Amino acid sequence: MGVVVTDAEVTLADVLSLRLAIDEPLEDGTELVLRNRTTGVERDVRLGTPGARSREATLAVSLAPLDLSAGRWDAYLRRDGKRSRLRSVDPGFSLDHLDAYALCKRTLAYRSYRTRNGFLALKISDAEPAAEVRAIWFREGRFEVMGLLAYTGLEDDDSRHEATLTLDRRQTSARVTATAFVQGVRFHAAFSLVDVVAADPASSDASAGSGSWEPALQVEGVPAPLKLGAWLDDVDGKRRRLHYPSAKVDGVPIRPCYTADDELRIEVGG
């Protein structure tokens, strides 16, 4: 049975929508199997016969009732006890769709994608409110960041929300604060690099090592501070792959970077 996914998308209602190119109609009893790549746990959905046309079929599978946990899930088709991985030619990535998907408040985020070997898979992540970074730059002695609010449930409109950007160095409890601007779900914030260096001289002392500062965005109408990071894209391992130029204040280097979990950090000194 030749089956290839030509279009795959997880809708805003967390429904896996698939368009298939097939040699013949799927027989009654055919199952879609999702297998957790790490634990081997499987979930299956009986497909039946989706249509009479022999060259194309469409499927819609609601993901929430399947009780899928966070992780990577590979897709298979199973018939008469035999299963094969589901091939895909759809890259499964749209930044606009991910932005729209992140407007809703969720506990899990589902994303379909094509593996490097050309198979359909799902990436499922825990979804908590966060500030998604889209641009970073140094300008006129300031560090500036802009992006959008994800999974907060706020409307993408013209309403303005009071907000504050904080930078914390946990090792010394030092803190820097600055006013941030939030319109709808879009944010922009900036802080003085001089203020950061002055707030904790130990972090800029080469003998003391590098000081790591954690940014957070506090927004009116959102209960908890929002972590800053970059999750709504297809780039894994940003700490290794994404490098920003550094700036210097009185000879002290300052540069943004990401953690292994793609959270934004500001490294000072070192």
Side-chain angles (χ1 to χ4, degrees):
M1 177 176 60
V3 181
V4 177
V5 176
T6 58
D7 185 75
E9 180 185 54
V10 176
T11 71
L12 302 184
D14 291 334
V15 172
L16 176 60
S17 176
L18 301 177
R19 180 176 294 114
L20 309 177
I22 57 178
D23 292 339
E24 57 188 27
L26 300 179
E27 295 182 1
D28 188 30
T30 300
E31 295 174 307
L32 173 69
V33 179
L34 298 175
R35 185 177 190 274
N36 187 292
R37 194 176 297 172
T38 302
T39 65
V41 170
E42 294 185 356
R43 299 286 187 266
D44 55 76
V45 179
R46 183 178 290 267
L47 301 180
T49 305
R53 291 191 295 173
S54 61
R55 295 298 180 185
E56 186 178 78
T58 57
L59 302 174
V61 177
S62 181
L63 297 173
L66 299 181
D67 193 25
L68 303 174
S69 59
R72 307 269 180 166
W73 294 75
D74 294 309
Y76 298 80
L77 282 184
R78 182 168 59 199
R79 185 178 65 179
D80 298 331
K82 299 179 180 180
R83 72 179 186 185
S84 58
R85 290 189 69 178
L86 193 50
R87 291 196 168 275
S88 176
V89 296
D90 180 12
F93 177 76
S94 166
L95 188 58
D96 289 341
H97 174 76
L98 293 179
D99 286 356
Y101 186 84
L103 291 179
C104 297
K105 198 167 186 177
R106 306 176 186 275
T107 56
L108 285 177
Y110 304 87
R111 186 189 307 176
S112 63
Y113 71 100
R114 183 183 61 187
T115 68
R116 292 182 180 179
N117 295 327
F119 297 103
L120 178 68
L122 292 178
K123 178 183 178 181
I124 304 176
S125 307
D126 293 320
E128 60 181 21
E132 176 74 12
V133 174
R134 283 292 158 79
I136 292 174
W137 63 92
F138 293 114
R139 181 164 56 188
E140 297 177 352
R142 298 180 302 172
F143 172 82
E144 299 190 38
V145 58
M146 62 180 298
L148 61 88
L149 307 183
Y151 309 123
T152 62
L154 295 179
E155 296 291 334
D156 186 11
D157 54 23
D158 292 331
S159 60
R160 294 183 179 272
H161 307 273
E162 293 186 3
T164 302
L165 176 70
T166 62
L167 277 181
D168 288 289
R169 188 178 184 226
R170 292 188 177 182
Q171 296 93 328
T172 61
S173 299
R175 168 172 283 195
V176 175
T177 62
T179 300
F181 299 92
V182 175
Q183 181 172 326
V185 296
R186 315 290 165 171
F187 74 89
H188 175 268
F191 56 82
S192 167
L193 298 179
V194 172
D195 290 345
V196 176
V197 173
D200 187 8
S203 70
S204 59
D205 186 348
S207 64
S210 178
S212 181
W213 295 74
E214 301 179 19
L217 191 65
Q218 297 177 325
V219 182
E220 174 192 14
V222 179
L226 304 176
K227 296 178 181 179
L228 272 71
W231 301 278
L232 301 182
D233 55 35
D234 61 346
V235 180
D236 293 324
K238 293 182 180 65
R239 186 171 184 84
R240 302 187 313 273
R241 300 183 180 183
L242 190 57
H243 301 282
Y244 293 104
S246 63
K248 282 191 175 182
V249 176
D250 296 332
V252 179
I254 303 177
R255 71 179 183 91
C257 65
Y258 288 98
T259 68
D261 296 325
D262 292 339
E263 293 182 22
L264 183 66
R265 293 290 185 270
I266 308 300
E267 300 289 342
V268 180

